[in-house]
Amino acid sequence: MLIKKAADLRESDVTPKETFLKRRDFLAVAGSAAVGVATNGFGLAGSPDACAQNPAAQKLTNLKKSPFSTDEKLNSYKDITTYNNFYEFGLDKADPGKYAHTLKPRPWSVVVEGQCGKPGTYHIEDIMKYAPLEERIYRLRCVEAWSMVIPWIGYPLSEFLKRFEPTTKAKYVEFRTLVDTKQMPGQTEPALNWPYVEGLRMDEAMHPLTLLGLGLYGEVMPNQNGAPIRLVIPWKYGFKSIKSIVRVRFVETEPVNTWKQQQSSEYGFFANVNPQVDHPRWTQGSERRLGEFFRRKTLQFNGYGDQVASLYTGMDLRKFY
Ligand SMILES: Nc1nc2c(c(=O)[nH]1)N[C@H]1C(S)=C(S)[C@@H](COP(=O)(O)O)O[C@H]1N2
Ligand SMILES: [Mo]
């Protein structure tokens, strides 16, 4: 649901800016409550987090509940949208929140190619409808040893990929982020090799936990979190969860992902969260949950081992990090 703005705008001419902003926040909360996102146990109505949401963002409704959601305390909308890694907008955690407004997530299309029966160009508005939208509350653990709990919205990546009828030669799937220095000014710097590239083995991509992320906290994906379409793979370090995807390619061989290209001694292809294998420059044994003071222990596969450990049976996880 889009909040009607015409009346507000007229009113803004005659009310002080502050009152205007407060009123817009109120409308956003009222709007969310009306469409049911307040029933998710994250106490939207009246909470400061809700007030901090983007009142102009499209709200997403009729969300299916997911049995895969954690019941841990959510990080605030503010944490989730002001502490980000998105090097296309700068290297500081605050940069994406400040600068990602230059990204234009609509209209948007995704090119699908490689080993599949139905390659083509697919529009985001259609992609949003390929499967019922779910709310999935997942932990996301960054390789830099911080973590957050985020109420994502999306649907299983498998529901997306199977529509393109991958062939038996499709052993991996590769994803690429947009390259456009106008929309992503950080790409004028050689911080990484652009485009950002990620990949998954087919069984990882088709795993029911792997989510195609289309929103969070009841709205379409904020720009800084990878609008309009990104991955969310909760048992892997955050860098596997590639943002602002424009290209999907089914391939026979393992893609060379950006962070592995950058420094293969520190970042591998699998990037499964593993407290037993330290990063060469810091421990992966513990992490700081944003908003908490004490560090907590990092769990094998970020706590999702029961569901995903079998994908790696027989593999030496020290070698395949
Ligand atoms: N295109 C792109 N995707 C990216 C990144 C990036 O710099 N560029 N950073 C990754 C890293 S390191 C992390 S931890 C997560 C952060 O996601 P969040 O900002 O939504 O929490 O995005 C990942 N996806
Ligand atoms: Mo990260």
Side-chain angles (χ1 to χ4, degrees):
M1 180 185 107
L2 280 159
I3 310 282
K4 272 197 196 140
K5 281 190 297 188
D8 288 354
L9 289 174
R10 249 176 283 126
E11 195 186 25
S12 72
D13 299 336
V14 292
T15 50
K17 194 170 175 219
E18 241 171 83
T19 325
F20 167 58
L21 289 174
K22 272 196 199 120
R23 182 169 149 74
R24 279 170 52 108
D25 287 348
F26 169 76
L27 285 172
V29 172
S32 312
V35 297
V37 281
T39 60
N40 298 333
F42 42 92
L44 266 176
S47 84
D49 300 344
C51 293
Q53 280 178 276
N54 175 4
Q58 186 194 349
K59 307 297 168 200
L60 296 172
T61 58
N62 297 323
L63 306 177
K64 260 188 16 177
K65 288 281 144 50
S66 169
F68 297 120
S69 287
T70 170
D71 55 11
E72 284 165 276
K73 185 173 179 283
L74 295 178
N75 278 98
S76 67
Y77 182 83
K78 188 167 181 231
D79 281 350
I80 294 168
T81 54
T82 59
Y83 193 87
N84 304 97
N85 272 337
F86 201 169
Y87 278 19
E88 285 83 344
F89 298 99
L91 308 190
D92 195 273
K93 301 281 180 288
D95 285 342
K98 285 187 209 151
Y99 305 123
H101 56 86
T102 53
L103 177 66
K104 291 193 187 69
R106 296 287 188 291
W108 189 276
S109 51
V110 178
V111 173
V112 179
E113 57 190 4
Q115 300 293 345
C116 65
K118 292 197 168 146
T121 301
Y122 296 86
H123 298 287
I124 188 65
E125 301 301 347
D126 297 327
I127 293 171
M128 300 279 297
K129 293 177 200 143
Y130 285 174
L133 293 181
E134 294 175 29
E135 181 196 72
R136 288 258 188 120
I137 304 171
Y138 276 163
R139 294 180 286 277
L140 193 70
R141 166 59 159 85
C142 178
V143 75
E144 295 166 89
W146 47 267
S147 62
M148 287 197 232
V149 177
I150 301 177
W152 299 106
I153 297 166
Y155 57 76
L157 181 65
S158 63
E159 298 287 336
F160 176 69
L161 295 181
K162 73 183 186 199
R163 294 185 69 106
F164 314 118
E165 300 173 1
T167 69
T168 53
K169 284 185 173 168
K171 304 290 185 217
Y172 297 86
V173 56
E174 184 194 278
F175 302 87
R176 286 168 187 252
T177 296
L178 176 72
V179 183
D180 180 341
T181 52
K182 285 209 183 70
Q183 292 189 60
M184 297 180 152
Q187 289 177 332
T188 54
E189 303 287 333
L192 296 172
N193 293 331
W194 315 112
Y196 195 98
V197 176
E198 259 308 337
L200 292 170
R201 213 172 55 188
M202 213 52 189
D203 59 344
E204 299 178 313
M206 302 306 271
H207 191 280
L209 277 185
T210 306
L211 193 72
L212 188 72
L214 299 164
L216 58 80
Y217 255 116
E219 14 175 280
V220 289
M221 195 64 79
N223 285 1
Q224 56 268 50
N225 295 89
I229 177 171
R230 64 170 289 167
L231 298 187
V232 188
I233 313 142
W235 72 95
K236 293 179 179 284
Y237 291 120
F239 70 82
K240 295 296 286 184
S241 293
I242 182 173
K243 296 173 165 178
S244 304
I245 297 166
V246 291
R247 202 168 276 267
V248 175
R249 190 179 176 81
F250 296 98
V251 293
E252 287 188 73
T253 53
E254 191 178 283
V256 187
N257 50 312
T258 293
W259 281 100
K260 186 173 173 176
Q261 275 172 45
Q262 201 68 17
Q263 188 56 272
S264 64
S265 61
E266 301 187 1
Y267 310 101
F269 176 76
F270 287 96
N272 293 321
V273 173
N274 190 345
Q276 286 154 33
V277 178
D278 283 338
H279 185 278
R281 293 183 278 133
W282 60 81
T283 178
Q284 295 293 18
S286 67
E287 68 200 55
R288 192 175 71 84
R289 176 72 45 88
L290 251 74
E292 291 181 0
F293 180 73
F294 293 107
R295 292 175 75 87
R296 52 170 73 214
K297 273 192 168 171
T298 287
L299 303 172
Q300 187 78 30
F301 296 112
N302 200 23
Y304 296 93
D306 286 351
Q307 290 102 306
V308 301
S310 63
L311 294 174
Y312 310 102
T313 320
M315 280 174 66
D316 179 353
L317 296 178
R318 292 183 172 275
K319 190 166 162 221
F320 297 100
Y321 55 86

